[in-house]
């Protein structure tokens, strides 16, 4: 990573000099903070934002342009994009905009999002589709076209997706959003496996910050600033994070941590399982490692070896 500060001629040097980033939904909140932080460190940024309300309405506000103006006022390089991440044509155009304006694409931050909260029985099909379209399909489309361009360029890359506590742990009234955000964590792990050989990493963050999305939520403290989440995203986008992929990190304001998916050692039987046997063994099946649940045996080791070989099988 280039050194911070100034070179011998007094020219400001940034950690992302020469790099090009696309940040979706960067017209406000977290995305704006990422775009500004990257631009301040020398990256040229495509600032994408459809310019909608929190519920995905009133399309066409000039949110992206405002952030581009802010970046330019600081002496940075940026270009606005008003496309929707859930449109394949728009997603392709975002990638093309990076390459046409700045010659390459190194970093993609999939951040665009909306909310349509309702409990399951009150949620209609349109609310489900809207949220899945923007978060999950949007992440798929932008990542797909970005990875295509990155593979073609052969210079590696960084994809950083946005998951959420709601998807990883569950949150009342958010079946659509939780499903999309859990889906994004799954997509992240698979893309990481598929892209390792191209030196493209793919990670996700689950942020908590006071933005217009969370302004009415008392449990999100005013002190949780979007700017406090940005350094983690930047680090994942840096050269230093080359060996980090397929992982999901939490950033609750200034509290950074990792979400890990654990499995218990479980129970493997010689005999076929029966309904009764499941009930009898339920405690052992779910017991964490080191608490007496281990009954793995040779077959389980074989099963693990097959699982670990999967990336090669699908190469
Ligand atoms: P925000 O509403 O300020 O920002 C989201 C931006 O995405 C908006 O500017 C909006 O115009 C844009 N957008 C919406 N639909 C789009 C589309 N189809 N194409 C392009 N842009 C679109 O909210 P935020 O809090 O900054 O959220 C950023 C991301 O972080 C979201 O994915 C959100 O789900 C996630 N997140 C936020 C929090 C939090 O505490 N703020 C918690 C968990 C996850």
């Amino acid at each position: 990573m280039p050194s911070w500060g100034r070179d011998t001629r007094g020219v400001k040097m940034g950690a992302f000099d020469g790099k090009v980033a696309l940040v979706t939904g960067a017209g406000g909140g977290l995305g704006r903070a990422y775009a500004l932080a990257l631009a301040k460190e020398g990256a040229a940024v495509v600032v994408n934002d459809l310019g909608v309300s929190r519920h995905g309405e009133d399309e066409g506000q000039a949110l992206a342009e405002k952030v581009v103006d802010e970046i330019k006022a600081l002496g940075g390089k940026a270009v606005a994009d008003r496309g929707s991440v859930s449109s394949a044509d728009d997603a392709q155009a975002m990638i093309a905009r990076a390459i046409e304006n700045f010659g390459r694409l190194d970093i993609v931050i999939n951040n665009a999002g909306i909310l349509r909260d309702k409990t399951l029985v009150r949620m209609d099909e349109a609310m489900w589709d809207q949220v899945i379209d923007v978060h999950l399909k949007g992440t798929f489309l932008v990542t797909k076209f970005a990875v295509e361009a990155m593979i073609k360029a052969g210079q590696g890359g960084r994809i950083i997706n946005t998951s959420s506590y709601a998807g990883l742990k569950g949150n009342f009234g958010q079946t659509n959003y939780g499903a999309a955000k859990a889906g994004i964590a799954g997509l992240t792990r698979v893309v990481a496996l598929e892209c390792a050989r191209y030196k493209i990493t793919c990670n996700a963050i689950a942020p908590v910050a006071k933005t217009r999305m969370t302004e009415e939520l008392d449990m999100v403290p005013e002190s949780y600033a979007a700017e406090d989440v940005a350094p983690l995203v930047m680090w994942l986008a840096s050269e230093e994070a080359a060996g980090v992929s397929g992982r999901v990190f939490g950033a609750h304001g200034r509290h950074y941590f990792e979400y890990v998916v654990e499995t218990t050692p479980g129970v493997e039987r010689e005999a076929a399982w029966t309904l009764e046997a499941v009930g009898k063994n339920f405690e052992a099946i779910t017991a964490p490692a080191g608490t007496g649940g281990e009954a793995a045996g040779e077959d389980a080791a074989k099963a693990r070896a097959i699982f670990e070989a999967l990336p090669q099988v699908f190469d």
Side-chain angles (χ1 to χ4, degrees), residues 61-309:
Q61 302 163 50
L63 303 181
E65 286 79 359
K66 271 191 203 147
V67 175
V68 167
D69 289 347
E70 279 186 88
I71 290 173
K72 285 189 173 161
L74 293 167
K77 294 185 278 298
V79 62
D81 179 286
R82 278 215 214 168
S84 172
V85 293
S86 52
S87 144
D89 286 348
D90 288 5
Q92 266 177 300
M94 283 169 217
I95 313 301
R97 203 178 292 282
I99 293 162
E100 278 159 19
N101 282 275
F102 306 120
R104 53 190 288 148
L105 179 64
D106 305 281
I107 299 157
V108 171
I109 304 176
N110 284 304
N111 163 82
I114 57 165
L115 286 180
R116 297 307 309 272
D117 293 357
K118 278 274 184 276
T119 54
L120 175 67
V121 291
R122 291 176 194 272
M123 184 170 297
D124 61 33
E125 198 180 339
M127 287 169 160
W128 171 268
D129 286 345
Q130 256 185 308
V131 168
I132 298 289
D133 264 11
V134 176
H135 291 275
L136 187 55
K137 186 177 166 191
T139 300
F140 158 69
L141 288 173
V142 175
T143 303
K144 172 188 160 63
F145 296 124
V147 165
E148 263 176 29
M150 286 170 177
I151 291 174
K152 205 165 148 203
Q155 291 168 322
R158 298 278 181 275
I159 312 283
I160 296 130
N161 296 328
T162 308
S163 185
S164 170
Y165 182 93
L168 301 164
K169 296 278 193 183
N171 198 24
F172 193 94
Q174 295 193 312
T175 45
N176 51 1
Y177 183 79
K181 291 305 202 186
I184 288 170
L187 178 149
T188 299
R189 294 191 185 97
V190 175
V191 171
L193 290 174
E194 292 184 6
C195 289
R197 64 182 146 153
Y198 304 111
K199 303 203 180 325
I200 300 167
T201 66
C202 184
N203 292 285
I205 63 144
V208 176
K210 206 72 179 175
T211 66
R212 78 172 187 182
M213 197 179 264
T214 51
E215 64 194 350
E216 285 153 20
L217 298 178
D218 291 342
M219 72 258 227
V220 176
E222 291 292 338
S223 61
Y224 279 25
E227 289 70 23
D228 287 328
V229 175
L232 175 61
V233 171
M234 286 215 289
W235 187 80
L236 291 169
S238 75
E239 296 292 334
E240 224 177 284
V244 178
S245 199
R247 293 163 73 172
V248 181
F249 301 91
H252 289 190
R254 294 183 185 174
H255 178 203
Y256 292 177
F257 56 95
E258 181 170 10
Y259 282 93
V260 286
V261 179
E262 285 185 56
T263 53
T264 61
V267 177
E268 177 146 16
R269 277 163 59 95
E270 287 272 321
W273 282 96
T274 62
L275 180 60
E276 199 190 13
V278 175
K280 270 201 188 132
N281 283 280
F282 187 71
E283 292 290 319
I285 291 167
T286 55
T291 57
E294 293 95 335
E298 210 179 300
D299 285 351
K302 254 187 254 160
R304 264 198 306 278
I306 292 167
F307 180 74
E308 275 154 21

